């Protein structure tokens, strides 16, 4: 892959040269060519998104302006196989331009290949599209031009050249597809349920069938969490069925009945969300006592409600959050121990490494099912319901200079703060999970060190309600709940069900790296849109999808089967060819069906295999948005079908009217011959090729995944105390990233993370060297976990833990020591190099990049067995 980072320096007559790198660079010999700008300039801005500050660096093209760049496209092949090269064009829109009409064209070597009229839907600043080059020359000139009529400028942040296999068998990763257990509202599970439910899943090589069980960690002690997780893992082992344990914070995951240590429980009034509505007339003396002078009868609670009077708890109470953190950490410790046991025996797939926060982070506000409270409120509904005004929420807002008081209405500052407060809850949960899940141990087998392909701590997904919701719903259509799940060290996920509603935002979400659908609520929409939600998630690269309340839909297994079939046989609107028609231009107006959500593939039926170039356009008749492709369509082998691929998914909504237009661009000899349908309009299939789009999405995600991983590791290394081995591993990963090898950089980054201190090793008997570190552990009677916490030329510290009592030996050069380990009791051993003479200490120190021989303790011969060692439990 080649990357052109668009940070050009304008030089006089709007001409410029490329800088070596932006967030990633390429060598001048491969792709650094001249960039020409007309009515365009370089911009550097930052956009707040969730808890992130996303940098936007690129070229902003004003109306009538053009960016021209020459890209080297020769020799970019995936493993030398035949391929289709594609230019990934990433565009950015700053929030103040969300919703404005943007019109632009893309030309390749002087010929227009794509034209679009669109309005940015918000939910993130960037979006990508792919311009295919089936037979590119050695170099390609790409031009991006903003129409004079565009209402907002066009900002280009990067151009990347990919090579995709021309016949993609399967995307690089499967999507996990898990049904939530039908027992106990999803919280119960036994062997019969796990077997019976698993058989309802469809079989497809692109999917990984799984079962999911919801898990309330907050009501269990550490011992109870360990026992229950052991029971669940035993079920997975016995049945051989992968089990996704979905740790829950909300709904049934609240600490109902758990003592708060202050004379109450964690679901009492002080821990609940406090609502406000002008129509609330229900007096609450407990609420009055809690709020004091701020109390007003219009304040209320989330209870009573029809969900078994489950109270909605605040995100901001420190005592409640302390309980959540401690018990989540304890549960994750048990989960991690269970998974490492499975990995040791080759059954790691039974506990999938992806986890989610289990918190949909919503306020009990407008949109909630508040009917039961209406009954208690003398039948008067709370139509302007707002939350949360718990005293701790109000206090946290005041720390940020925001007076959160709904009595005079909520202004945009107050709404923005409440919106960010949901993101803070997702960040809080990710931080706890990230801290509780250190890098997996490097596994030793003989003299070989085996590194993990990926880590659970790099697969932690947020789970907010992803569609529009309070406090931004009704105020801004460009701020979906999905964006509050964009956080540091976490991957983006969400709860949703409608593919048509979510597609515009999913195309934004995939820009932030790998994504997931942790909560697909089957009861939330018509089955056709639930299926569309799965298809959209798969197309945009979701690593897994967990299906909730599927048993409430009698046709759920059939729906899942249809989804699985659509991976190999794209589904959509079809107007079959029944006759032959001649003409230079054809049109078809149609109404999108109930399962519509997006189109990226148009199939036509030309009768002449050399029909020549055509212009194909899709237009939203109500919004006026349009996507036009100029291409010579590729004929499908052994079929009279010509395929036109759109650079990105074109949004479709059920019941909305669209116009398909097909026009021949070369009619010098004769009018082309196309197949027509029974209504004498052009025959066509308009489908979503979700397997192809998933491959595109994965190429986008790979870039951001690697960048985020390396930035996170660099932050850790900048704190100091890292070994030479860890630093060099990170440097290697960054070099690969700079060379444009994002996937290789990610894999190298995972290796660097496992080597970053504290670095753990899993050793079978009789032990071995903790390579690449120069430490050897001998454990003759059983396995040992060794964790290096410090490592320098002067000292090394290792924590050893064994499941059985045994004597172990630690060697570091000429230094060694023996320790008697008690079963499951960690022991810390430190070996220290004897102090060197003062004269030697004054000599200049020479930093070695990688020692060709062991470090100083191996060479100086001063140590003796047991000398300069310390053992501490």
């Amino acid at each position: 892959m080649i990357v052109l980072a668009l940070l050009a320096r304008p030089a006089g007559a709007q001409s410029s040269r490329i800088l070596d790198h932006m967030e990633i660079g390429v060598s001048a010999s491969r792709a650094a060519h001249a960039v020409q700008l007309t009515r365009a300039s370089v911009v550097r801005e930052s956009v707040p998104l969730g808890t992130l500050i996303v940098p936007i660096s690129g070229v902003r093209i004003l109306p009538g302006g053009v960016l021209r760049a020459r890209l080297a496209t020769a020799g970019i092949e995936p493993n030398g196989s035949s391929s289709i090269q594609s230019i990934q064009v990433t565009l950015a829109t700053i929030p103040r331009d969300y919703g404005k009409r943007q019109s632009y064209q893309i030309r390749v070597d002087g010929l227009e290949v794509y034209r679009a009229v669109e309005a940015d839907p918000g939910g993130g600043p960037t979006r990508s599209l792919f311009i295919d080059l089936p037979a590119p020359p050695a170099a390609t000139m790409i031009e991006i031009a903003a129409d004079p009529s565009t209402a907002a400028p066009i900002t280009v942040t990067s151009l990347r050249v990919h090579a995709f296999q021309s016949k993609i068998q399967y995307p690089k990763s499967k999507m996990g597809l898990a049904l939530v257990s039908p027992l106990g509202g999803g919280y119960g599970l036994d062997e019969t349920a796990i077997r019976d439910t698993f058989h309802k899943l469809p079989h497809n090589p692109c999917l990984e069938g799984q079962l999911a069980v919801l898990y309330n960690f907050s009501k269990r002690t550490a011992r109870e969490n360990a026992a229950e997780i052991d029971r669940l893992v035993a079920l997975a082992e016995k049945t051989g069925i992968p089990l996704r344990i979905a740790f829950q914070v909300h709904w049934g995951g609240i600490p109902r009945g758990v003592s708060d240590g202050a004379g109450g429980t964690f679901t009492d009034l002080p821990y609940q969300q406090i609502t406000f509505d002008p129509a609330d007339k229900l007096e609450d003396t407990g609420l009055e006592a809690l709020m004091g002078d701020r109390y007003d009868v219009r304040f209320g609670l989330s209870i009573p409600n029809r969900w078994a009077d489950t109270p909605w708890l605040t995100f901001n109470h420190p005592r409640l959050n302390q309980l959540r953190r401690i018990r989540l950490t304890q549960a994750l410790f048990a989960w991690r121990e269970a998974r490492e046991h499975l990995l040791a025996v080759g059954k790691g797939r039974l506990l999938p490494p992806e986890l989610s926060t289990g918190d949909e982070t919503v306020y009990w506000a407008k949109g909630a099912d508040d009917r039961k409270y209406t009954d208690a409120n003398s039948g008067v509904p709370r139509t302007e319901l707002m939350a949360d005004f718990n005293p701790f929420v109000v206090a946290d807002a005041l720390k940020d200079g925001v007076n959160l008081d709904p009595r005079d209405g909520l202004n945009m500052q107050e709404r923005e703060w409440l919106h960010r407060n949901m993101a803070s809850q997702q960040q809080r949960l990710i931080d706890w999970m990230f801290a509780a899940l250190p890098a997996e141990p490097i596994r030793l087998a003989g003299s070989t060190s085996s590194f993990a392909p990926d880590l659970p701590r790099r697969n932690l997904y947020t789970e907010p309600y992803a569609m529009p919701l309070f406090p931004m719903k009704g105020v801004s259509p460009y701020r979906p709940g999905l964006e509050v799940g964009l956080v540091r060290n976490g991957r983006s996920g969400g709860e949703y069900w409608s593919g048509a509603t979510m597609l515009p935002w999913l195309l934004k979400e995939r820009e932030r790296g790998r994504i997931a659908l942790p909560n697909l609520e089957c009861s939330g929409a018509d089955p056709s849109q639930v299926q569309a939600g799965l298809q959209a998630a798969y197309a945009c690269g979701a690593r897994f999808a967990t299906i909730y309340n599927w048993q409430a839909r009698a046709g759920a297994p059939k729906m899942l089967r249809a989804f699985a079939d659509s991976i190999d046989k794209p589904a959509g609107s079809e107007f079959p060819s029944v006759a032959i028609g001649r003409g230079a231009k054809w049109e078809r107006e149609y109404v999108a069906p109930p399962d519509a959500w997006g189109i990226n593939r148009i199939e036509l039926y030309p009768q002449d295999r050399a029909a020549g170039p055509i212009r194909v356009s899709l237009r939203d008749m109500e919004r006026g948005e349009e996507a036009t492709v100029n291409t010579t369509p590729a004929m499908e082998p052994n079929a009279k079908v010509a395929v036109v691929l759109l650079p990105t998914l074109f949004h479709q909504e059920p019941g909305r009217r669209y116009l398909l237009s097909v026009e021949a661009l070369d009619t010098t000899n004769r009018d082309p011959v196309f197949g027509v349908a029974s209504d004498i309009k052009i025959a066509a299939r308009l489908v979503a090729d979700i397997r192809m789009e998933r491959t595109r999405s994965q190429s986008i995600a790979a870039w951001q995944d690697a960048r985020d991983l390396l930035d996170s590791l660099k932050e850790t290394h900048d704190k100091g105390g890292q070994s030479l081995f860890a630093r060099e591993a990170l440097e290697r990963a960054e070099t690969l990233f700079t060379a444009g090898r994002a996937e290789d950089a990610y894999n190298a980054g995972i290796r660097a993370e496992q080597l970053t201190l504290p670095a753990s090793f899993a050793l079978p008997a009789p032990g071995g060297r903790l390579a690449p570190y120069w430490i050897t552990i001998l454990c003759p009677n059983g396995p040992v976990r060794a964790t290096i916490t410090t490592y320098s030329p002067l000292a090394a510290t290792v924590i050893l833990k064994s499941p059985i009592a045994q004597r172990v030996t630690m060697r570091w050069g000429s230094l060694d020591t023996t320790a008697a380990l008690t079963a499951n009791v960690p022991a810390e051993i430190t070996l220290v190099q004897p102090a060197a003479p003062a004269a030697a200490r004054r000599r200049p120190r020479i930093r070695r990049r990688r020692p060709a021989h062991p470090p100083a303790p191996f060479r100086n011969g001063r140590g003796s067995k047991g000398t300069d060692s310390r053992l501490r439990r």
Side-chain angles (χ1 to χ4, degrees), residues 83 164 213 409 685 868:
S83 66
F164 297 119
V213 61
R685 292 185 74 237
D868 296 310

Side-chain angles (χ1 to χ4, degrees), residues 176-484:
L177 186 64
L179 290 175
V180 170
S181 170
L183 301 182
Y187 288 84
L189 188 65
D190 60 24
E191 183 179 346
T192 301
I194 195 172
R195 293 186 188 278
D196 290 349
T197 305
F198 183 75
H199 290 305
K200 292 179 170 60
L201 289 167
H203 296 286
N204 186 290
C206 294
L207 302 173
E208 177 74 25
Q210 301 167 347
L211 198 69
V213 61
L214 308 184
Y215 190 88
N216 185 327
F217 60 86
S218 66
K219 72 176 185 180
R220 292 183 169 96
T221 64
R223 185 183 298 275
E224 291 168 340
N225 271 312
E228 179 62 8
I229 287 175
D230 284 347
R231 185 187 76 85
L232 294 172
V233 172
L235 285 174
E237 278 197 278
K238 186 173 183 179
T239 60
I241 294 173
L243 180 60
R244 187 173 295 285
I245 299 178
F247 299 100
Q248 298 292 292
V249 175
H250 59 170
W251 292 92
I254 64 173
R256 190 188 292 272
V258 176
S259 171
D260 66 356
T265 72
F266 279 108
T267 52
D268 290 345
L269 192 149
Y271 305 100
Q272 294 183 28
Q273 291 189 15
I274 296 175
T275 65
F276 182 89
D277 189 279
D280 191 340
K281 305 299 181 185
L282 192 62
E283 293 280 359
D284 191 313
T285 55
L287 197 56
E288 183 177 6
L290 178 69
M291 299 185 69
D293 292 343
R294 290 179 65 92
Y295 177 70
D296 183 307
V297 71
R298 294 172 291 177
F299 285 105
L301 299 170
S302 60
I303 54 173
N305 62 48
R306 63 183 293 259
W307 310 110
D309 290 332
T310 298
W312 250 235
L313 302 184
T314 186
F315 308 136
N316 298 68
H317 199 295
R319 186 187 291 266
L320 174 59
N321 282 336
Q322 182 184 41
L323 174 85
R324 288 166 169 162
R325 178 183 60 82
I326 291 172
R327 294 202 164 175
L328 179 58
T329 299
Q330 292 168 344
L332 288 172
F333 178 83
W335 180 90
R336 176 165 56 92
E337 291 287 303
R339 187 167 188 274
E340 289 180 3
H341 160 73
L342 293 175
L343 286 169
V345 295
K347 297 180 180 180
R349 62 179 286 272
L350 296 179
L351 272 186
E354 306 91 359
L355 296 171
S356 61
T357 57
D359 193 337
E360 65 181 359
T361 49
V362 296
Y363 298 114
W364 189 266
K366 190 173 181 178
D369 190 338
D370 200 43
R371 286 175 289 174
K372 192 171 180 181
Y373 197 98
T374 298
D375 296 339
N377 195 42
S378 303
V380 179
R382 298 189 291 182
T383 58
E384 301 299 324
L385 191 60
M386 296 177 278
D388 173 21
F389 308 104
N390 183 291
F392 284 99
V393 178
V394 173
D396 285 348
L398 284 173
K399 293 175 186 176
D400 296 329
V402 176
N403 183 18
L404 201 59
D405 190 346
R407 292 174 293 183
D408 57 355
L410 294 180
N411 60 28
M412 186 56 73
Q413 184 188 35
E414 290 169 291
R415 289 179 179 272
E416 285 278 3
W417 190 92
L418 285 169
H419 189 70
R420 291 194 306 272
N421 191 47
M422 291 191 289
S424 297
Q425 170 71 351
Q426 291 290 335
Q427 183 69 72
R428 188 180 296 119
L429 291 166
I430 288 293
D431 288 345
W432 297 340
M433 298 173 80
F434 191 78
L437 293 168
E440 289 179 359
I442 301 164
R443 302 189 179 279
L444 267 60
S447 59
T448 302
S449 296
S450 177
F451 291 85
D454 210 340
L455 300 172
R457 71 191 329 239
R458 296 298 172 185
N459 285 275
L460 305 176
Y461 295 82
T462 55
E463 198 176 330
Y465 182 88
M467 294 186 282
L469 78 167
F470 175 87
M472 303 309 295
K473 186 177 181 180
V475 177
S476 170
Y478 312 116
R479 306 293 300 278
L482 183 70
E483 72 176 25
V484 305

Side-chain angles (χ1 to χ4, degrees), residues 465-688:
Y465 182 88
M467 294 186 282
L469 78 167
F470 175 87
M472 303 309 295
K473 186 177 181 180
V475 177
S476 170
Y478 312 116
R479 306 293 300 278
L482 183 70
E483 72 176 25
V484 305
L486 296 169
V487 300
R488 297 180 305 277
N489 288 325
R491 314 319 302 172
S492 180
E495 177 192 357
Y496 56 89
W497 49 81
S498 170
T501 299
M502 287 303 302
L503 176 63
W505 294 313
L506 293 179
L507 293 174
K508 295 299 198 70
E509 183 189 25
R510 69 179 180 176
E511 296 286 320
R512 304 314 315 156
R514 61 186 65 181
I515 68 171
L517 175 47
N519 188 335
L520 175 59
E521 178 53 64
C522 281
S523 64
D526 182 87
S528 60
Q529 273 305 303
V530 174
Q531 177 181 320
L534 266 177
Q535 291 170 323
Y538 182 88
C540 291
R543 291 302 181 99
F544 70 93
T546 308
I547 317 299
Y548 280 62
N549 293 317
W550 56 270
Q551 64 274 24
R553 297 283 188 183
K558 182 179 178 181
M559 179 270 292
L560 293 174
R561 177 72 264 169
F563 157 65
D565 290 343
S566 71
I567 296 174
D568 300 310
K569 299 177 181 179
S573 300
E574 184 170 4
F575 308 97
S577 176
V578 298
I580 294 175
R582 291 182 179 272
K585 185 173 182 178
W586 298 82
E587 290 185 342
R588 168 176 292 283
E589 186 176 322
Y590 66 95
V591 175
D595 60 349
W597 59 279
I599 291 172
N600 62 2
R601 176 185 174 106
I602 300 171
E603 297 177 1
L604 304 171
Y605 301 87
Q607 303 303 303
D608 185 351
R609 297 186 69 86
I614 60 174
R615 175 178 292 123
V616 179
S617 176
L618 275 177
R619 188 169 191 272
D620 185 321
M621 299 290 286
E622 298 176 40
R623 288 200 180 101
E625 296 188 353
E626 186 172 350
T628 300
V629 175
N630 294 344
T631 184
T632 299
M635 297 296 294
E636 287 275 304
N638 303 318
K640 294 182 179 180
V641 177
V643 176
V644 177
L645 297 179
L646 300 181
T648 188
L649 283 157
F650 187 80
H651 187 210
Q652 303 272 279
E653 288 192 52
R656 192 179 291 275
R657 293 183 304 117
Y658 297 90
L659 180 68
L660 168 67
S661 174
V662 180
E663 180 181 1
L665 298 179
D666 183 2
T667 58
T668 53
N669 297 324
R670 55 176 169 36
D671 283 343
V673 181
F674 284 96
V676 296
S678 57
D679 57 4
I680 318 300
K681 295 181 181 179
I682 191 164
R685 292 185 74 237
L686 299 97
V687 300

Side-chain angles (χ1 to χ4, degrees), residues 830-850:
T830 298
L831 294 179
V832 180
Q833 177 189 359
R841 290 200 299 270
R842 289 194 295 270
R843 293 174 185 170
R845 297 179 64 186
I846 299 175
R847 181 177 182 269
R848 301 179 185 276
R849 298 294 297 168
R850 181 179 293 279

